[in-house]
Amino acid sequence: MSFSDSETSSHGGEYKNFKQISRDRLLHEMLRTSDSGDSRSSWKVLIMDKVTVKVMSSTCKMADITDQGVSLVEDLFRRRQPLPTMDAIYYIQPSKENVVMFLSDMSGREPLYRKAYVYFSHPIPKDLVSRIKNDTSVIPRIGALGEMNFEYFPIDSQGFVTDHERALGELFGESAQSSRRAEASLNVMASRISTVFASLKEFPFVRYRASKGQDGSTATNFRELVAGKLAAAIWNNITTYKSSIPNYPQKETCELLILDRSVDQIAPVIHEWTYDAMCHDLLDMDGNKYVHEVPGKTGGSPEKKEVLLEDQDPVWLELRHTHIADASERLHDRFTNFVSKNKAAQMEQRDGSELSTRDLQKMVQALPQYNEQKERLSTHVEIAGELNKIIRDTGLRELGQLEQDLVFGDAGTKEVIHYLRSKQDTSGENKLRLMMIYASVYPEKFEGDKAAKLMQLAKLSPEDMKAVKNMRMLEGSEKRKPSGSFSLKFDSQKKGNAARKDRTGEEETWQLFRFYPVIEELIDKMCKGDLSKDDYQCMNSSQTAPREFNGSSARNVPPKATTESTNPRSVRSRRTPNWARSRTSDDGYSSDSNLRNFSTDFKNMGQRIFVFIIGGATRSELRVCHKLTAKLRREVVLGTTSLDDPPQYITKLKLLSEKEIAVDPGLGI
């Protein structure tokens, strides 16, 4: 029996991205290292709890797991058939209930499995270790006892969530001040974030947004202290790793910046015009699943087909962060090019009577690839067409222009009132989103009874009014006025009535691609060493992060990359960056099919940057992390409690004023 963490480090050698390392740890360090060498028991059983099964499914595909010799995946708390000739791998949380269930499986005269390899998702308490060691009948049957320190949920090659869907309400809601649930939520959150650094063998500078009272004094309101509390809990966890995890770095290797949703209240509601964001905002999707109709196989009624929009689709990978107009153009060009070059497509255009035997042979040879590529391209052409139709039918371009003009100070009250009066057929959700942007840029317009008049003009319900009112709760303490009125006090970092400033030296190729989330500016400043040490404090013993932390001390950064990091930022370049180009050689079945190409794009990377947003992140913020990775030559990883699309975020915001938030047992803690 061994009790240890993996000794594989992410430093040195071939560069692997965040999700690639995560996947390799589960498949190679846990599943593959459990091989006993006995040919009679080459197949294994994998047993997980409700949390670790979500971790595994978000990181790997079933094909990846079976490739490692796993023939059966089981739920720890379900009745299971004894398989005494097979080994079992337990990937579970180190809770008392889980340990008791494991011991029950493996103790006695007839254990369920031949041998058990046990891996815990985060550090196990000493009393539970003792409980396992004291069971003398189980000890000889344990092949390995270790801590994987892996309890986060990858959602992207450079993103993860902690699965805290209710974090916004628990930490910033009406009952957050005295809620034990809030403290418990922060502790679990900190534990899961910490396992990211354990998995990647990274020791971060931990920085957080230090909120202060309106008079500049130290904040005492719980909501204002959330980022600092989380930073302290993460710091306590990772400092223990220095002595408990073999080969864990003793000096800082990366940066972590902890923010909360109040840092940018516009990004969650403004219309983001990329292909990815538009799909999730405008289409009725279930996660990454898109359902569309295809012709029936026997010529009958159309059939429904599900398509996953994910990294294993090279077309999606190329287009997801491009402007919807750019994506539509590229799809048209690619489809035309595909038809002109593919032999099967060429033959399909000809009259069947003209086909020679040789032509038919060529067509048959090209058909499998042709059908797959044609179906994939056709699906995306259909999706882009549906998006463009919705944009036209709802008049979204005009609304999007007004949203961005408001943010950049080119529009004000006059334009908002004109829009509301002239576009009364605009959906309630879109009008509400416009009001929320307006409130962020012009908070003074929502003082006293002004808010009620605006809402009356927009014909929004009192329920919708909650979303705008509750925006103030994310800001912590505020001076409330008598008689039930309220005043929004946003720290939007704006001058005059502009929440963003245009960047000098940038080319605007696509209309409505002007907006950028606040985190882009913060990451850029942090990389240059220009982030305020008072506003963004550091938990490390020196209490200060390096002035120029470009990461060259850990990984060699070529001169070209260093130069690029100081160039003006471009959020509107029409050229597709390297990280978004199609990988046409992917098989599309293994989760490794796209990840393995990452190292060819990013050699000699600098030290990683991690940004964690409490209360939910947006697709625009995830896009920015990809963009800055290419620009700064430092992998930027976005972590958050949940990835929210605008409707989800607005629903959560409305619930902030509820005294008790309904608990969905299917959501994270």
Side-chain angles (χ1 to χ4, degrees):
M1 180 184 71
S2 64
F3 191 90
S4 64
D5 188 89
S6 161
E7 300 197 9
T8 301
S9 173
S10 64
H11 301 286
E14 183 183 32
Y15 189 88
K16 293 184 177 182
N17 73 6
F18 164 75
K19 189 169 183 179
Q20 200 170 16
I21 294 173
S22 302
R23 175 182 174 277
D24 285 354
R25 288 205 69 222
L26 290 179
L27 296 181
H28 303 156
E29 296 179 25
M30 185 174 75
L31 300 186
R32 184 176 295 175
T33 55
S34 304
D35 291 337
S36 63
D38 186 344
S39 59
R40 294 173 302 171
S41 58
S42 58
W43 289 103
K44 298 164 286 195
V45 182
L46 175 60
I47 301 161
M48 297 177 284
D49 58 37
K50 64 179 182 180
V51 170
T52 54
V53 74
K54 290 178 74 174
V55 172
M56 182 67 76
S57 62
S58 66
T59 311
C60 309
K61 287 183 171 291
M62 195 63 203
D64 300 324
I65 298 171
T66 54
D67 284 347
Q68 302 304 320
V70 174
S71 62
L72 184 62
V73 177
E74 296 268 38
D75 184 331
L76 178 66
F77 283 92
R78 286 194 177 178
R79 190 178 184 87
R80 285 167 276 125
Q81 177 186 355
L83 298 167
T85 61
M86 295 178 69
D87 291 342
I89 302 169
Y90 286 80
Y91 176 35
I92 55 178
Q93 291 182 296
S95 66
K96 180 180 177 181
E97 295 76 15
N98 286 359
V99 169
V100 167
M101 186 61 70
F102 156 67
L103 292 175
S104 173
D105 288 350
M106 298 303 297
S107 62
R109 297 179 63 181
E110 297 182 355
L112 292 186
Y113 310 105
R114 193 178 77 104
K115 216 166 188 63
Y117 296 82
V118 188
Y119 300 93
F120 294 108
S121 58
H122 64 262
I124 180 172
K126 291 182 179 179
D127 62 311
L128 293 182
V129 176
S130 299
R131 185 164 188 160
I132 294 171
K133 289 183 175 180
N134 289 337
D135 193 325
T136 55
S137 66
V138 172
I139 291 295
R141 298 165 182 164
I142 297 179
L145 187 66
E147 293 170 345
M148 275 303 290
N149 285 317
F150 192 130
E151 200 175 293
Y152 54 90
F153 309 83
I155 54 169
D156 183 85
S157 61
Q158 292 172 223
F160 70 93
V161 297
T162 58
D163 197 30
H164 288 85
E165 289 286 346
R166 301 189 302 275
L168 198 70
E170 289 177 350
L171 301 176
F172 299 96
E174 198 72 57
S175 60
Q177 289 291 98
S178 57
S179 172
R180 289 184 180 179
R181 188 186 299 168
E183 294 288 351
S185 178
L186 276 175
N187 288 335
V188 175
M189 198 183 300
S191 175
R192 291 180 178 175
I193 296 168
S194 301
T195 65
V196 171
F197 299 101
S199 278
L200 272 65
K201 293 287 178 67
E202 295 274 20
F203 180 29
F205 280 98
V206 181
R207 302 185 70 179
Y208 64 97
R209 188 181 184 218
S211 295
K212 296 181 179 179
Q214 289 186 337
D215 57 357
S217 60
T218 303
T220 56
N221 186 291
F222 179 84
R223 300 181 193 117
E224 295 173 310
L225 298 173
V226 166
K229 283 176 174 285
L230 181 62
I234 292 171
W235 177 251
N236 288 338
N237 289 338
I238 62 175
T239 50
T240 63
Y241 291 161
K242 294 172 73 174
S243 57
S244 62
I245 296 180
N247 298 329
Y248 191 76
Q250 300 300 301
K251 293 183 179 180
E252 290 82 355
T253 61
C254 64
E255 290 179 279
L256 165 65
L257 178 61
I258 299 173
L259 308 167
D260 61 57
R261 193 59 269 168
S262 68
V263 75
D264 187 352
Q265 296 207 55
I266 296 175
V269 294
I270 195 169
H271 283 90
E272 163 82 354
W273 289 79
T274 59
Y275 186 48
D276 177 12
M278 282 275 154
C279 285
H280 288 88
D281 191 0
L282 303 183
L283 302 180
D284 185 19
M285 290 180 59
D286 179 12
N288 291 331
K289 190 188 300 178
Y290 172 72
V291 180
H292 67 125
E293 289 188 345
V294 296
K297 293 181 179 179
T298 58
S301 57
E303 300 175 355
K304 288 190 175 181
K305 183 173 182 180
E306 295 180 353
V307 178
L308 290 178
L309 302 181
E310 56 182 5
D311 288 0
Q312 279 66 52
D313 178 352
V315 179
W316 172 256
L317 198 64
E318 176 188 346
L319 300 178
R320 59 180 178 169
H321 295 144
T322 61
H323 190 284
I324 179 61
D326 188 12
S328 300
E329 283 189 13
R330 292 194 197 189
L331 281 169
H332 178 269
D333 293 344
R334 283 192 63 168
F335 200 83
T336 303
N337 185 59
F338 168 71
V339 171
S340 67
K341 290 185 177 180
N342 188 278
K343 290 183 175 61
Q346 292 167 9
M347 301 300 177
E348 194 177 49
Q349 306 301 314
R350 295 167 57 181
D351 186 340
S353 61
E354 298 179 9
L355 296 178
S356 66
T357 304
R358 184 173 178 80
D359 288 338
L360 285 171
Q361 186 180 22
K362 289 180 179 179
M363 183 175 177
V364 170
Q365 290 172 346
L367 272 176
Q369 183 185 25
Y370 166 70
N371 287 331
E372 181 183 350
Q373 292 182 356
K374 180 184 176 182
E375 184 177 337
R376 182 177 286 157
L377 280 171
S378 298
T379 299
H380 285 285
V381 168
E382 177 185 322
I383 292 172
E386 187 175 349
L387 290 175
N388 284 314
K389 183 178 186 300
I390 293 171
I391 291 168
R392 286 193 305 271
D393 293 348
T394 59
L396 203 56
R397 285 193 184 92
E398 187 176 346
L399 174 61
Q401 189 65 59
L402 177 56
E403 289 176 347
Q404 303 220 1
D405 286 347
L406 275 173
V407 171
F408 286 90
D410 297 331
T413 305
K414 179 182 176 182
E415 289 79 7
V416 171
I417 291 175
H418 174 74
Y419 180 86
L420 293 174
R421 284 176 174 167
S422 62
K423 303 291 182 182
Q424 296 190 22
D425 58 342
T426 301
S427 70
E429 180 191 308
N430 282 341
K431 287 189 285 187
L432 175 58
R433 288 164 70 170
L434 177 63
M435 286 293 97
M436 294 171 74
I437 295 168
Y438 184 49
S440 292
V441 183
Y442 291 88
E444 68 277 4
K445 300 297 183 181
F446 285 75
E447 294 179 354
D449 62 350
K450 295 178 184 177
K453 292 179 179 177
L454 280 167
M455 291 300 172
Q456 188 176 8
L457 177 63
K459 296 181 180 179
L460 295 177
S461 67
E463 184 67 20
D464 288 334
M465 182 77 166
K466 285 183 183 179
V468 181
K469 282 186 175 181
N470 289 350
M471 291 170 73
R472 78 190 192 278
M473 298 178 73
L474 295 181
E475 296 299 325
S477 59
E478 76 284 339
K479 295 180 180 177
R480 301 198 180 197
K481 295 188 175 184
S483 69
S485 62
F486 73 94
S487 173
L488 294 168
K489 301 292 182 184
F490 295 116
D491 178 20
S492 55
Q493 301 180 7
K494 62 182 185 294
K495 293 184 178 180
N497 283 109
R500 301 287 190 280
K501 293 188 294 184
D502 276 311
R503 314 292 180 79
T504 57
E506 289 193 354
E507 174 190 358
E508 184 172 351
T509 303
W510 296 106
Q511 188 182 20
L512 302 174
F513 220 16
R514 190 179 177 189
F515 176 79
Y516 59 91
V518 167
I519 69 162
E520 180 174 353
E521 200 166 37
L522 295 179
I523 294 169
D524 206 36
K525 284 183 177 180
M526 186 166 71
C527 194
K528 294 175 180 176
D530 293 339
L531 200 61
S532 168
K533 295 179 178 63
D534 292 329
D535 295 335
Y536 297 90
Q537 297 178 6
C538 186
M539 292 296 302
N540 301 53
S541 57
S542 63
Q543 291 301 308
T544 55
R547 174 71 181 170
E548 294 280 347
F549 194 70
N550 60 21
S552 58
S553 60
R555 302 184 182 97
N556 295 324
V557 182
K560 182 180 179 182
T562 306
T563 304
E564 286 175 358
S565 68
T566 60
N567 288 342
R569 282 164 286 175
S570 173
V571 292
R572 309 185 195 98
S573 174
R574 184 174 174 179
R575 291 183 61 192
T576 308
N578 288 337
W579 48 262
R581 286 185 184 153
S582 171
R583 276 82 164 177
T584 54
S585 61
D586 300 328
D587 57 33
Y589 295 100
S590 166
S591 64
D592 190 37
S593 57
N594 287 99
L595 294 176
R596 66 183 172 215
N597 294 297
F598 184 91
S599 59
T600 63
D601 293 334
F602 293 117
K603 292 181 179 178
N604 301 315
M605 292 286 282
Q607 295 185 342
R608 288 185 176 93
I609 296 173
F610 295 84
V611 180
F612 190 86
I613 303 177
I614 307 165
T618 69
R619 295 183 190 277
S620 63
E621 288 161 336
L622 188 57
R623 170 179 62 84
V624 158
C625 291
H626 282 274
K627 174 196 159 187
L628 290 179
T629 295
K631 175 196 162 187
L632 302 174
R633 304 296 295 175
R634 296 177 63 180
E635 186 183 8
V636 182
V637 178
L638 177 67
T640 183
T641 47
S642 58
L643 187 68
D644 296 330
D645 297 309
Q648 296 170 298
Y649 176 75
I650 291 171
T651 298
K652 292 177 180 181
L653 202 59
K654 288 178 180 178
L655 292 173
L656 287 189
S657 52
E658 301 295 323
K659 294 293 183 182
E660 269 304 318
I661 299 172
V663 176
D664 182 346
L667 296 177
I669 295 172

